C-alpha cells in the first residue's frame, strides 16, 4: 500500500480496556442501557483486537448517523417470531446488532445443546459487525457453527462479469471448537476486501491491493475514494465466479430464508443504516457418532501446517490464527487508531450529547 499523506500525525495506540470504557460512555450518553453499551463496546473493541479495524470503533460515526436517521433502535432485544423447535426465526427490529445477534446466538446455543442442532434465522438486525464474534460465542459453548450473512439493500460489490454494484459484501463464517485449543474460525467478506477496509485506506491516504476495486466505468483501480466519493465504483467479488456464487447464497440464505429481505430495486437503502440478516446453523459435535472427530481435525491441521513454505511466506496459518496473533500483539501494545478515525469518533461523541469537556478529557486520558 502507498502512503501518500506523510505529514499526518502519528497513529495512536490505545489500551483495549480504556478504549472499551470510552465506547461504553459514548453509547450510555446516546441512551443505551449500560448492558447494551458494554455489549457494543465488547464487540467493537474485540474486532480491533483481532486486526479487523474495518469493523471496530471506526464504525461508531456510522452508527451515530444511523441513530440520527431514526434507523438504529436503542435498547431493543431479539424477538423470537417463530419457534419451530430446531428452527428459530428472530426479528432484529433494527436493534443494535451487537445485542440482537448476541441474544439470537444465546437462544440458538441453548436449543442446539438440547436438540443437537439449531438453525437461527436472524432478520432486520442493525449491523452485526465481525461475524467471527458470533461464531466464537458458539465455539465457547463447545458448538460448531456456520453463518451466511447478507447486507440487505446495500450493494457495493459487482457480480462476476458485471460493472456496477449489485450485492452486499455478504460475509461467510464457520467455526470449529477444539477442547483445550483455540477454535478454528474462518470469517471473511465475499468481496475481495471488506468495504470497511476501503474506509480505513481512504482515512489513511493509502491505496488498496490490486484487483479489489473497479471504478464507475468498470476499470480496475487502486483508489479507495471510488467507494467514498462520486462517481462511485464497486468492490469485486473474491475468487471470481466462486466468490460471486457464495455471495449470492449468503444473500438468499441470510436475506430470504430468514424472512428478511434481499437486495434489489425495491429494497435499496437510502439512510445510514446497515441492515444484516443472518442464517446461523449451530451444531453440537457430541450429537454425531464421531469419537475421533477432534483427533482427526487436529491431525489434518498438523498435516497441512507441515507443508514446506512457499517462496515469500514465513508461516502457514490455520483459520483464525492471524486474528489470535494480532490480538496478543494489540493486548500488549494497545490498539492503533489513526487520527482521522479518532477525530470522527470524537465528533460522533459530541453528536450524541457528550460535552466538549468530557470528550477532551477522554482524549487527553487515552493519548
Ligand atoms: N456485518 C457485515 O455486514 C460484514 C460485511 C462484510 C464483512 N464483515 C466482516 O469483515 C471482517 C473482515 O473480512 P475480510 O474479508 O476483510 O477478512 P480477511 O480477508 O482478513 O480474511 C479473514 C479470514 O481469513 C483467515 N486468514 C487471513 N489471513 C490468512 C492467512 N495468511 N492464512 C490463512 N488464513 C488466513 C482469517 O483467519 C479469517 O478467517 C470479517 O470479520 C467479516 O465478518 C462484516
Amino acid at each position: 500500500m502507498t502512503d501518500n499523506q506523510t505529514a499526518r500525525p502519528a497513529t495512536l495506540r490505545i489500551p483495549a480496556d480504556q478504549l472499551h470504557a470510552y465506547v461504553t460512555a459514548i453509547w450510555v450518553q446516546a441512551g443505551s442501557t449500560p448492558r447494551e453499551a458494554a455489549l457494543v463496546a465488547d464487540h467493537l473493541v474485540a474486532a480491533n483486537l483481532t486486526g479487523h479495524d474495518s469493523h471496530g470503533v471506526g464504525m461508531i460515526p456510522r452508527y451515530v448517523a444511523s441513530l440520527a436517521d431514526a434507523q438504529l433502535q436503542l435498547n431493543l432485544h431479539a424477538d423470537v417470531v417463530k419457534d419451530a423447535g430446531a428452527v428459530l426465526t428472530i426479528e432484529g427490529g433494527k436493534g443494535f446488532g451487537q445485542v440482537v445477534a448476541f441474544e439470537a446466538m444465546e437462544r440458538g446455543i441453548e436449543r442446539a445443546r438440547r436438540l443437537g442442532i439449531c438453525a437461527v434465522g436472524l432478520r432486520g438486525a442493525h449491523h452485526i459487525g465481525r461475524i467471527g464474534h458470533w461464531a466464537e460465542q458458539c465455539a465457547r459453548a463447545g458448538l460448531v457453527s456456520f453463518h451466511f450473512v447478507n447486507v440487505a439493500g446495500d450493494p457495493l460489490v459487482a457480480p462476476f462479469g458485471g460493472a456496477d454494484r449489485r450485492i452486499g459484501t455478504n460475509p461467510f463464517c464457520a467455526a470449529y471448537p477444539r477442547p483445550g485449543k483455540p477454535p478454528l474460525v474462518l470469517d471473511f467478506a465475499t468481496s475481495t476486501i471488506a468495504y470497511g477496509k476501503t474506509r480505513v485506506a481512504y482515512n489513511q491516504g493509502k491505496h488498496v491491493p490490486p484487483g479489489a476495486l473497479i471504478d464507475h466505468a468498470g476499470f480496475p483501480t487502486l483508489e479507495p475514494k471510488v467507494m467514498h466519493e462520486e462517481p462511485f465504483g464497486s468492490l469485486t467479488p473474491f475468487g471470481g465466479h466462486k466468490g460471486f456464487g457464495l455471495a449470492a447464497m449468503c444473500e438468499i440464505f441470510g436475506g430470504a430464508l430468514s424472512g428478511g429481505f434481499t437486495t434489489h430495486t425495491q429494497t435499496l437503502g437510502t439512510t445510514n443504516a446497515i441492515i444484516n440478516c443472518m442464517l446461523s446453523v449451530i451444531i453440537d459435535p457430541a450429537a454425531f457418532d464421531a469419537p475421533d472427530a477432534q483427533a482427526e481435525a487436529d491431525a489434518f491441521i498438523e498435516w497441512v501446517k507441515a507443508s514446506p513454505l512457499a517462496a515469500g511466506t514465513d508461516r502457514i496459518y490455520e483459520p483464525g490464527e492471524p486474528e489470535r496473533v494480532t490480538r496478543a500483539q494489540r493486548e500488549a501494545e494497545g490498539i492503533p487508531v489513526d487520527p482521522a478515525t479518532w477525530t470522527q469518533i470524537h465528533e460522533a461523541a459530541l453528536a450524541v450529547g457528550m460535552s466538549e469537556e468530557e470528550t477532551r478529557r477522554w482524549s487527553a486520558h487515552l493519548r
Side-chain angles (χ1 to χ4, degrees), residues 263-286:
T263 303
H264 50 85
T265 309
Q266 287 76 25
T267 61
L268 296 179
T270 53
T271 69
N272 281 293
I274 306 170
I275 303 300
N276 284 136
C277 306
M278 171 165 73
L279 173 71
S280 299
V281 180
I282 306 170
I283 303 171
D284 185 353

Side-chain angles (χ1 to χ4, degrees), residues 43 47 50-55 63 126-134 149-152 154 168-174 184-197 238 274-277 313 315-324:
H43 184 273
T50 56
H52 293 292
D53 296 330
S54 54
H55 288 70
Y63 293 174
H126 199 267
H127 194 229
I128 59 176
R130 176 181 168 256
I131 310 306
H133 196 83
W134 313 121
V149 180
N150 85 331
V151 195
D154 190 9
T169 52
N170 295 1
F172 171 77
C173 178
L184 303 173
V185 182
L186 177 65
D187 172 29
F188 55 75
T190 48
S191 47
T192 304
I193 57 170
Y195 173 72
K197 288 186 177 158
F238 87 96
I274 306 170
I275 303 300
N276 284 136
C277 306
T313 53
R315 158 170 194 180
I316 294 167
Y317 292 95
E318 63 195 38
E321 198 173 1
E323 285 75 10
R324 288 205 306 279

Side-chain angles (χ1 to χ4, degrees), residues 294-318:
Q294 290 302 334
E296 285 298 318
D298 287 349
F300 170 72
I301 294 296
E302 202 178 311
W303 161 251
V304 290
K305 289 184 109 175
S307 174
L309 293 177
T313 53
D314 58 2
R315 158 170 194 180
I316 294 167
Y317 292 95
E318 63 195 38

